[in-house]
Amino acid sequence: MLEAPYPELTDLLEMMGEAGRRLSDIEASEGAAGNISVCFRWPAELRDLFPIVETYTLPQAVPELAGATFLVSGSGRRLREIIDEPRANIAAIVVDEGGRTGQLHISHHHRFQRVTSEFNSHLAVHSDQIRSSGTNFHAVIHAQPPYLTYLSHVPRYQDTGYLNRHLLRWQPETIVQLPEGVGYTPFKVPGSADLMAANVAALRQHRIVVWAKHGVMARSDVSVKRAADRIEYAETGAKYEYLNLMAGEAGEGLSADEIRAICAAFNIQQAIF
């Protein structure tokens, strides 16, 4: 739950841009891959930046989010370009009463025909998290970090326990930042209802989830940059794991006892080690 004074619309767009640029820097959003959205529940003046308005049918009814505003990346747009031209790459949607439709706000400078095809997964996660927590802010990012995605193609990493014990052993910070670990969902067709349902369920238990053979989704109720940080922490662990595979698994990483000692020192509650 964010407290007043709330971030301005321009601040949120800037943070979305900074998150998108960082994801590009770590090669987690090749081309137009990846998408990003935030949901907030305080008043905002949209028409100065997004003067074109039309009615939009939401992927699912979300009556509990009536009046909420979404900022969401456009389909086919590059996350790295949001920072330079947010109005060309982002749309705003205000949910109507009843939650079946919203008012879609776009700029005269927009360079997309529709919002991201993964908006069904974004909307479902926002709705589920806000309904359960009552927060007034929530951010979601889908990206395709190469090391995490590669490991999801390797059979032995297609197990949540094995994946986490091997990702979280390389840096002391990782268990502190990801105490619930990284979730895992078997492959589902991108944009499908199956992926949406599996993703919502996994993100109830974790703050970042691997979509097998596709990428990841991360969430935060603090800031969009915090969601991007979670992707970077998990991807760094996957990079160490990949390097260790390439070196013939010469490294041992932190032991379970060492990780438990870290958790005791920082009062971290976890159930992985």
Side-chain angles (χ1 to χ4, degrees), residues 3 37 142 205 213 221 229 233 237:
E3 302 291 339
S37 69
H142 163 58
Q205 305 298 322
K213 305 177 184 180
D221 58 5
D229 287 346
Y233 282 119

Side-chain angles (χ1 to χ4, degrees), residues 49-71:
L49 296 179
F50 302 106
I52 303 172
V53 183
E54 58 188 62
T55 298
Y56 171 77
T57 300
L58 294 167
Q60 69 178 64
V62 286
E64 68 280 2
L65 295 183
T69 300
F70 291 91
L71 299 175

Side-chain angles (χ1 to χ4, degrees), residues 243-258:
L243 291 172
N244 195 46
L245 291 174
M246 294 300 98
E249 301 193 65
E252 62 180 8
L254 294 160
S255 69
D257 285 342
E258 288 168 336

Side-chain angles (χ1 to χ4, degrees), residues 35 61 69 83 86 89 93 100 109 128 160 163 169 184 196-197 202 207 219 228 231 241 247 262-263 266:
N35 30 75
T69 300
I83 189 69
N89 297 288
I93 301 171
R100 295 187 178 277
H109 305 288
D128 189 68
T160 303
L163 178 69
R169 62 178 174 158
Y184 174 85
M196 177 185 72
R207 286 179 275 190
R219 63 175 178 84
I231 295 173
E241 185 67 14
I262 293 165
C263 293
F266 291 92

Side-chain angles (χ1 to χ4, degrees), residues 34-265:
N35 30 75
I36 187 168
S37 69
V38 302
C39 177
F40 60 92
R41 307 196 72 174
W42 56 82
E45 176 52 58
L46 300 175
R47 286 182 179 263
D48 288 346
L49 296 179
F50 302 106
I52 303 172
V53 183
E54 58 188 62
T55 298
Y56 171 77
T57 300
L58 294 167
Q60 69 178 64
V62 286
E64 68 280 2
L65 295 183
T69 300
F70 291 91
L71 299 175
V72 56
S73 56
S75 179
R77 301 313 305 154
R78 303 168 186 87
L79 296 188
R80 62 182 177 271
E81 294 179 352
I82 294 173
I83 189 69
D84 297 317
E85 297 182 283
R87 291 185 296 167
N89 297 288
I90 299 292
I93 301 171
V94 181
V95 180
D96 292 331
E97 193 68 30
R100 295 187 178 277
T101 61
Q103 297 305 301
L104 175 69
H105 296 246
I106 54 177
S107 166
H108 291 290
H109 305 288
H110 75 282
R111 295 179 183 165
F112 52 89
Q113 297 301 312
R114 59 187 183 278
V115 299
T116 172
S117 61
E118 301 284 4
F119 187 52
N120 62 337
S121 284
H122 285 251
L123 180 63
V125 171
H126 286 303
S127 175
D128 189 68
Q129 291 294 321
I130 290 172
R131 185 171 56 248
S132 64
S133 70
T135 185
N136 60 357
F137 175 87
H138 196 251
V140 170
I141 300 175
H142 163 58
Q144 296 176 187
Y147 294 99
L148 280 165
T149 304
Y150 168 73
L151 291 180
S152 77
H153 286 264
V154 179
R156 66 177 185 257
Y157 294 95
Q158 296 168 0
D159 172 85
T160 303
Y162 186 95
L163 178 69
N164 278 285
R165 288 190 298 273
H166 287 76
L167 288 184
L168 304 184
R169 62 178 174 158
W170 296 111
Q171 288 277 18
E173 292 85 356
T174 315
I175 191 66
V176 175
Q177 298 298 329
L178 301 174
E180 307 94 345
V182 178
Y184 174 85
T185 62
F187 178 78
K188 310 290 183 184
V189 174
S192 68
D194 286 345
L195 176 58
M196 177 185 72
N199 184 55
V200 168
L203 282 170
R204 289 174 182 158
Q205 305 298 322
H206 306 274
R207 286 179 275 190
I208 176 172
V209 170
V210 172
W211 295 354
K213 305 177 184 180
H214 183 170
V216 301
M217 181 168 273
R219 63 175 178 84
S220 172
D221 58 5
V222 176
S223 78
V224 67
K225 292 173 72 174
R226 187 73 59 88
D229 287 346
R230 287 173 179 148
I231 295 173
E232 188 169 4
Y233 282 119
E235 175 69 347
T236 298
K239 184 174 182 179
Y240 277 110
E241 185 67 14
Y242 174 85
L243 291 172
N244 195 46
L245 291 174
M246 294 300 98
E249 301 193 65
E252 62 180 8
L254 294 160
S255 69
D257 285 342
E258 288 168 336
I259 292 174
R260 285 192 288 267
I262 293 165
C263 293

